[in-house]
Every structure is written in structure tokens, then in C-alpha cells.
Amino acid sequence: MIVYASPYLNLRQIAASGQCFRMRETGDGVFEIISGTRFLRVCQQKDVCRFFCGEGEFEEYWKKYFDLETDYRVFLEKIDPEDHYLRRAAERGKGIRILRQDFFEMIVTFLISQQNNIRRIRRCIENLCSRYGKSCRTPEGAVYFGFPEPGALAAASAEELRECNLGYRGKYVQAAAAAVAGGNFPLAPLRDMDAQTAEEKLRELYGVGTKVAACIALFGLHRLEAFPVDTHIRQALERHYPQGFPEKYRDFQGVLQQYMFYGELFPDPEDG
């Protein structure tokens, strides 16, 4: 077991932030996370997290997954003291970190996310995993399913994917998986691109528009300069930044986007 303490890691906030859909709270402060074919149980009490895994696995995988080598306090300190909206949002959501998730998984995840809600996205992904993913077992012996490989989803028909509650998004997922599995859309080159270039390339995939491309760049490539704009963020921009989001935040505006998104979903009652 690994013990890690920080006010800048809050699993409940991350699970509700709309960036990951295979993290669930199974008890008060107890979370189960599936990433690819890996499984982790974490218990959090206030600022203290207990990771139920070995030191080797933590150092090799989960430390990077939770982006624990990045000091998120620095991002909060760079917010303009006069930007009261953003400072409140950041203070309330300061436990959110940008996870380092699997690139292909994020492509599929955010294709599914279109015109969808968090609960339904979770269900769609679990349907995909149980039908096309590898069967695995937790250390206690419980069965779970890893995220499907591109080839497994490419071999499925759009109709079969629709049966996983994907609806019209099934054809997008099938086309993206086929492009990746067939080598027509290699993922490796995008890992070295900046956010703008990567987003332009991602929009070549069937069904990937501006917002989805930005989500994939932020959550799948960890490009912190990516800034997805959905309905919640658009409304916040209209209210608080009618001239556009400040350029001075550009290098880490994706982190701030998560604070804003969380704040819009879970507003402070004192803000009216």
C-alpha cells in the first residue's frame, strides 16, 4: 500500500469532472479505477490517499496516471487575483488533476460523449468493455473487463456497437477503430504534436469535431493548452469572458477548464 497526501488530489472531484468514466466510488471515500487492463483501489480520507498496489506498480504506472509529479499549486498561483470567478472555481475544484489516460481509449470515450451525459457515457463504455474487452480479475478475484483493443472494435459492425447503447455514435467508434487498427491513422505521431496540430489531425477521424478533438488532446495526449468548449464552458465564457479567455493562461488553460467545468456542474450555493 502506498500513502500519498496532497490537497491537490481529490478523487471524488476527478470522478465528477467529465474526463474519466471508469472511476467509481464503491463506498465512502473508496474508489475503483480501471485503466486499460489495470485495476486499482484507492481509499481517500480528507487529503490522504491510500493506493492498494505495490510500490513498483505505483511508480511505474499510477504515479504517472494521476500526474503526481506535476505541482498543481503552481496553476492556482498563476490565476489573476482580480479574476474572482476563476479563483473561486479553482479553489473549489483544486483537487482535480488532468489524468494521463490511454490515447485510444480517449478517442473512443469522447466520440461516445457527444450529446450524452456522464451516467450514460459510463454505461456505454462498460457495455463496450464487457462485450469486447479482455476479462481480468482484481487481486480479490472479482471479474472486470479491460478496455477493448482497436482491432476488437474494428471487427464489430456499427449495428453491434449500437446495441451497446452507442446509438449513431457506433459508426464513429467503428470507423475510428478501423482507421487505427488498419494503420491508416497511426497514433504515435500525434504524441509529439502541440495541441492545435493534434486537434487538426484528430478532426480527420469520422465524427470528431472541434470539441471532441480538444477533449482528446487534453485528456488523451495531456496537452494542457487544449481548451474544450461545451455548453457549460460556453455559458461561463459568455458571462465572465465576453472578450475571450485570457491569453496569459494559454499554456495551462486545460487545467483551468476543468475547474470551470466542475464549478458549473456543482456551483457554490453562496454564489446564488
Side-chain angles (χ1 to χ4, degrees):
M1 182 180 68
I2 305 297
V3 178
Y4 178 88
S6 171
Y8 304 104
L9 174 61
N10 186 301
L11 299 180
R12 188 170 288 140
Q13 290 180 357
I14 293 172
S17 69
Q19 63 171 299
C20 60
F21 300 92
R22 304 205 76 194
M23 177 187 293
R24 66 190 184 103
E25 188 169 6
T26 59
D28 187 17
V30 179
F31 293 81
E32 293 181 350
I33 300 106
I34 301 172
S35 176
T37 57
R38 293 178 182 262
F39 174 89
L40 177 68
R41 181 174 289 108
V42 187
C43 178
Q44 181 162 26
Q45 294 178 315
K46 297 184 178 180
D47 293 341
V48 179
C49 288
R50 290 175 171 81
F51 294 81
F52 292 91
C53 63
E55 183 176 358
E57 182 182 359
F58 178 79
E59 291 292 333
E60 174 193 347
Y61 192 82
W62 295 111
K63 187 175 183 178
K64 180 179 179 181
Y65 177 85
F66 285 102
D67 200 27
L68 296 182
E69 294 182 315
T70 300
D71 185 358
Y72 278 67
R73 175 179 53 86
V74 172
F75 300 136
L76 276 77
E77 291 178 346
K78 290 183 177 180
I79 298 174
D80 187 338
E82 298 302 314
D83 192 337
H84 301 298
Y85 165 76
L86 191 52
R87 289 192 69 82
R88 285 197 305 271
E91 184 59 33
R92 292 194 67 238
K94 67 182 181 183
I96 298 172
R97 308 177 78 88
I98 306 300
L99 304 179
R100 294 181 180 270
Q101 301 181 82
D102 179 78
F103 186 17
F104 176 69
E105 183 172 342
M106 292 300 97
I107 291 175
V108 173
T109 294
F110 285 98
L111 281 170
I112 292 171
S113 75
Q114 299 180 76
Q115 302 297 314
N116 221 337
N117 60 61
I118 289 177
R119 180 177 296 181
R120 192 169 186 275
I121 296 167
R122 291 183 189 277
R123 187 165 64 248
C124 291
I125 291 172
E126 290 310 313
N127 289 343
L128 278 185
C129 293
S130 62
R131 184 161 181 172
Y132 300 104
K134 178 183 177 181
S135 177
C136 307
R137 290 188 180 274
T138 70
E140 294 76 25
V143 175
Y144 69 95
F145 295 92
F147 196 84
E149 294 292 326
L153 295 180
S157 68
E159 177 59 35
E160 289 170 333
L161 293 175
R162 279 196 295 272
E163 292 173 0
C164 293
N165 289 341
L166 269 62
Y168 68 88
R169 306 166 195 83
K171 59 188 178 185
Y172 300 156
V173 170
Q174 199 279 335
V180 172
N184 295 321
F185 194 85
L187 301 183
L190 279 79
R191 301 183 191 278
D192 297 321
M193 297 178 183
D194 59 43
Q196 182 177 350
T197 306
E199 288 174 37
E200 290 174 357
K201 185 66 178 177
L202 285 163
R203 288 197 292 270
E204 295 178 9
L205 289 172
Y206 181 42
V208 174
T210 301
K211 195 228 17 174
V212 169
C215 288
I216 297 169
L218 180 58
F219 303 127
L221 292 171
H222 210 259
R223 295 295 177 265
L224 300 187
E225 69 271 31
F227 190 79
V229 177
D230 71 343
T231 300
H232 299 289
I233 297 299
R234 183 174 294 107
Q235 291 172 349
L237 293 175
E238 290 171 352
R239 291 197 311 271
H240 303 285
Y241 306 101
Q243 304 303 316
F245 199 62
E247 184 67 23
K248 61 186 173 184
Y249 299 140
R250 175 170 176 78
D251 290 343
F252 59 101
Q253 63 184 1
V255 178
L256 304 182
Q257 186 268 5
Q258 280 286 274
Y259 298 150
M260 293 166 62
F261 182 80
Y262 182 81
E264 293 296 311
L265 281 186
F266 306 101
D268 189 332
E270 294 185 2
D271 292 341

